[in-house]
Each structure stands twice: as C-alpha cells, then as structure tokens.
Amino acid sequence: MPMDHVDGDNKGELVLYALSTCGWCKKTRLLLEDLKVEFSYIYVDLLEGEERNEIIEQVKKYNSNLSFPTLVIDNDKTIVGFNEEKIREALV
Amino acid sequence: MNHPEVDEAKVDDYYLKIKKQAESAGYHLNPDVEFTKSLIKSIIINENRYGYGACPCRLSSGMREDDVDIICPCDYRDPDLQNYDACYCGLYVSGEILTGEKKLKAIPERRPSPEQREKIMINKKPESKDLPFPVWRCRVCGYLCAREEPPETCPICKVDKDRFERFI
C-alpha cells in the first residue's frame, strides 16, 4: 500500500486518508505535523485501478460517506473532517 | 506523486473571473486569498485531470455524469452557505464571514454517500404534468425556466446545461 510516512511521537497508529487537492485535508496534515505525532497518509485521488478500489473500501469501513479527510486511530476511532479540537483531544 | 504544476498566472486569471462572477450574483469568495487561490489551483488541476472542474474537497469518479453535482460551484453550495456560512471547501462564504463577524470552520458533508446517490438516481423520474412546457431548475442557483430544453448556460450563475433538472 503506497502510504507516506511521517515520523514523530507514537500516539497510536494514525492513518490519514486525504485528497491531494483538498484544503481541509492539507490543514489536517499540517496539524498532525505541528503536533509532532507519527502518522501515515495517502492521497486517494492519486490512486488508480485496483489499488484505488481497495483503499476506497477501506475508507468506507470507517466513514460510509467516503468524505475527506478521514483520520483513523488504531483501526478503531475515526475523525472525519478538519476537526482541530477532536484531533487535539484524541492525541493528548 | 504530485500533479503537474499549474501556471500561477492562470490561477490569478481564474480567481479574478470567478470573483467577479460571484460578486455580480451576490456570492462572496473567501477573503483569505492564499487559501482561496490554492483551492482554485486544485480546481484547475481537476479540470486538467478529469475534463471538468470537480470539487477539490471531494473524491471525483472521473465521469462527468456521476460528478455533475460536485462541479464547482456544486449543488450543495447554497444550502451550505445558508446553514454553515460557507461551502464545503470554504471557497464561497457568507457575508458574515466576509466581514469577520463569523469564523470559517470545516463543515459536515451534505452530499449523499455513493450508495444513497444510486438510490436517488433510480427513484428520480420526471413527473409528466399537463403543461405547455416543462419547467427546468438550475440545481446550482435555483433559476427556473419553462421551455422545451434547459438553456446551454444558466443565465444567472453561468453553469452548463447538464446542471439543470426537470422541476415540473
């Protein structure tokens, strides 16, 4: 899976599903970088074919609306959209 | 990983064009020019990628007929401006955000999920009423007209013909 990885403090397994063109996705990625946490991210709009379908199904498991950004923490908790407060709270 | 660069001059031209268009129709672009221009750049990227200016904050299918509701300005701009003072991307904002009385925030997604959209498409059959002409509604701005076919371009908000739906 072509995830990009950002090093930082380990606050659980963080996966950010994002779009390369989306302003709120960018703000979310920059917030995670500011918080200096370790996370992986993937730009779903840049994927093609089977890989794209696979990742879309993955996102839908956590967010049936298939909207972005979708941040998944420890394969369990999901934060949809640039919700700064919720993200900060979850990563204390 | 990244898309081919978009010429900054093209972004500036596009910005001025839609700013003028928005203001003449009573809409406002986000006054945060840097944020706004980065969204416009993304719309141009999508135009180059898909052939239509799909919403940069939503996942496009690459097929215009499936994405016609999210071509910017999207079908959801008006209700989102009314309920949340901004469109989903934050490209268009209300007068209160423009003047700084309210602060721009990310808002929830209003577009139905892929499965819901499929159901809506199946249930959508134009009603046939006994009228001399069908009535067409622009899904972007609400403009109505009674004629055989919708116009090539909406005379109010300038979107294309395929943004119209049969209303009556």
Side-chain angles (χ1 to χ4, degrees):
Chain A
M1 202 183 309
M3 290 259 177
D4 276 290
H5 195 80
V6 178
D7 285 325
D9 298 337
N10 188 329
K11 298 276 171 133
E13 196 194 340
L14 305 186
V15 180
L16 175 67
Y17 297 95
L19 301 178
S20 67
T21 49
C22 162
W24 298 115
C25 294
K26 188 174 171 189
K27 280 185 190 281
T28 307
R29 186 168 61 80
L30 293 178
L31 174 65
L32 293 176
E33 284 177 14
D34 268 359
L35 292 170
K36 298 195 168 47
V37 293
E38 183 181 357
F39 69 100
S40 300
Y41 69 95
I42 189 163
Y43 288 136
V44 182
D45 60 316
L46 300 182
L47 301 176
E48 283 175 0
E50 217 19 67
E51 198 168 69
R52 178 184 157 108
N53 295 339
E54 223 172 86
I55 297 291
I56 286 177
E57 287 313 311
Q58 234 175 70
V59 179
K60 278 187 181 164
K61 269 201 308 199
Y62 298 107
N63 171 10
S64 60
N65 237 350
L66 190 62
S67 63
F68 299 90
T70 293
L71 177 65
V72 179
I73 306 171
D74 288 328
N75 293 311
D76 173 43
K77 194 175 170 25
T78 306
I79 300 176
V80 175
F82 176 65
N83 190 327
E84 186 168 351
E85 222 170 280
K86 268 199 185 164
I87 294 172
R88 284 181 185 276
E89 254 170 47
L91 300 179
V92 175
Chain B
M1 187 81 199
N2 266 326
H3 16 262
E5 267 314 293
V6 173
D7 186 8
E8 291 304 325
K10 206 175 167 193
V11 175
D12 289 343
D13 286 351
Y14 201 108
Y15 171 76
L16 290 175
K17 188 185 97 184
I18 68 164
K19 189 169 196 285
K20 197 173 153 199
Q21 224 169 63
E23 280 167 5
S24 76
Y27 292 95
H28 315 286
L29 288 189
N30 187 331
D32 179 346
V33 176
E34 198 190 320
F35 184 81
T36 300
K37 283 192 177 173
S38 99
L39 285 172
I40 287 172
K41 190 174 175 179
S42 292
I43 295 171
I44 298 173
I45 288 169
N46 282 348
E47 271 183 1
N48 294 339
R49 228 193 249 169
Y50 308 117
Y52 51 89
C55 172
C57 300
R58 292 175 166 118
L59 183 64
S60 305
S61 67
M63 280 173 289
R64 185 180 171 109
E65 59 272 30
D66 291 338
D67 285 345
V68 75
D69 58 327
I70 55 162
I71 297 174
C72 186
C74 70
D75 290 9
Y76 313 104
R77 174 181 65 171
D78 279 9
D80 280 338
L81 279 169
Q82 181 159 0
N83 295 150
Y84 302 108
D85 291 283
C87 75
Y88 186 60
C89 289
L91 177 62
Y92 290 94
V93 299
S94 71
E96 283 177 305
I97 287 189
L98 185 71
T99 55
E101 285 163 72
K102 283 189 180 169
K103 217 177 151 261
L104 178 70
K105 282 192 299 193
I107 67 168
E109 171 62 303
R110 173 189 297 275
R111 187 189 198 203
S113 70
E115 286 73 23
Q116 287 167 326
R117 288 204 301 279
E118 228 166 88
K119 272 190 212 150
I120 293 169
M121 284 306 284
I122 292 166
N123 294 330
K124 212 175 197 176
K125 283 190 193 124
E127 288 176 56
S128 53
K129 292 248 171 73
D130 193 18
L131 291 172
F133 293 100
V135 177
W136 302 96
R137 175 182 178 274
C138 171
R139 289 194 306 265
V140 176
C141 72
Y143 166 74
L144 296 175
C145 58
R147 46 190 273 175
E148 288 299 348
E149 292 266 325
E152 276 301 301
T153 304
C154 173
I156 305 302
C157 71
K158 315 298 176 202
V159 296
D160 292 337
K161 180 177 180 173
D162 61 356
R163 309 298 298 275
F164 278 80
E165 65 185 352
R166 175 89 184 257
F167 187 59
I168 307 173

